[in-house]
Amino acid sequence: MTLRQVYIVGALGGLSAVVALVLFAALAVGLYCATQRLIDLHDEHKVRRQDLNACRAIARLGTTNHPKDNA
């Protein structure tokens, strides 16, 4: 191998390492964002479920002798 070929192989190796690191970083950021989105959706679901349970509890109370508006 000539010196030029050695430099070209080294440059290609370095370039492939940089591409691999960028792809790995993009994958890590994507997984982080997806995980955060799932956690946020789960928290929102818990809040809605608690609100729905409160509404159902209020509805089960019922009313007795509720005055009606005669207007």
Side-chain angles (χ1 to χ4, degrees):
M1 271 183 125
T2 65
L3 188 58
R4 181 176 179 204
Q5 290 172 334
V6 171
Y7 285 145
I8 290 172
V9 169
L12 288 175
L15 184 62
S16 66
V18 168
V19 169
L21 287 174
V22 168
L23 289 175
F24 178 76
L27 178 66
V29 169
L31 285 174
Y32 175 78
C33 290
T35 303
Q36 283 300 114
R37 179 73 177 139
L38 286 173
I39 290 170
D40 291 342
L41 286 173
H42 178 69
D43 290 342
E44 289 173 11
H45 177 70
K46 280 193 338 188
V47 168
R48 282 194 314 267
R49 190 174 59 212
Q50 288 173 352
D51 290 344
L52 182 60
N53 287 339
C55 290
R56 287 180 179 162
I58 291 169
R60 281 193 304 265
L61 290 175
T63 57
T64 58
N65 300 329
H66 187 4
K68 295 199 176 200
D69 216 3
N70 291 334

